[in-house]
Amino acid sequence: MKPTICRYCHKEIKNRDELVTASNWLRIHPFHYVCFNKKDKETATIHTAWRPVNGTAGNITFLIMLVLAIWMLATNTWGIIGDLIGLVALGRVMVRVASFLWIERKLPKV
Ligand SMILES: [Zn+2]
């Protein structure tokens, strides 16, 4: 299996404890926990675009977005605006699922 390579230092990420998956719109990149924090400081202007996907904050966002997506797409709340919000929320849900399937699942838990 291909090793998961950190996008910042280009070294292998060995377990889930040091992994941060970050997404910028629909792109997902893996980072070491420390590297993501370093990158955060260096690219203060860009960093707002890169949001961590995994971890507690990511999981809470995932749940909120999932509920929002189902609510907006399954009902007629806010009409077309509601549908658009639902699609954006669905995009965030897909990113979270993709992060898990493509990156997190391959790394051993500690
Ligand atoms: Zn790294």
Side-chain angles (χ1 to χ4, degrees), residues 6 9 32 35:
C6 171
C9 68
H32 287 108
C35 293

Side-chain angles (χ1 to χ4, degrees), residues 37-99:
N37 285 337
K38 273 192 228 159
K39 181 183 153 65
D40 234 19
K41 288 194 186 94
E42 277 174 27
T43 56
T45 48
I46 303 167
H47 116 243
T48 44
W50 286 95
R51 275 177 289 189
V53 173
N54 64 347
T56 312
N59 288 338
I60 292 168
T61 308
F62 171 73
L63 283 176
I64 294 170
M65 289 300 162
L66 186 65
V67 170
L68 192 64
I70 293 169
W71 178 28
M72 287 298 160
L73 294 174
T75 66
N76 248 338
T77 316
W78 300 343
I80 189 79
I81 309 264
D83 286 349
L84 285 176
I85 294 171
L87 283 179
V88 170
L90 195 64
R92 299 289 304 166
V93 171
M94 300 302 266
V95 162
R96 182 69 189 87
V97 171
S99 156

Side-chain angles (χ1 to χ4, degrees), residues 94-108:
M94 300 302 266
V95 162
R96 182 69 189 87
V97 171
S99 156
F100 179 76
L101 289 181
W102 291 339
I103 302 169
E104 290 162 52
R105 201 171 53 129
K106 294 196 279 184
L107 293 173

Side-chain angles (χ1 to χ4, degrees), residues 6-11 13 31-32 35:
C6 171
R7 286 298 181 114
Y8 183 86
C9 68
H10 303 288
K11 286 184 195 130
I13 301 167
F31 298 97
H32 287 108
C35 293

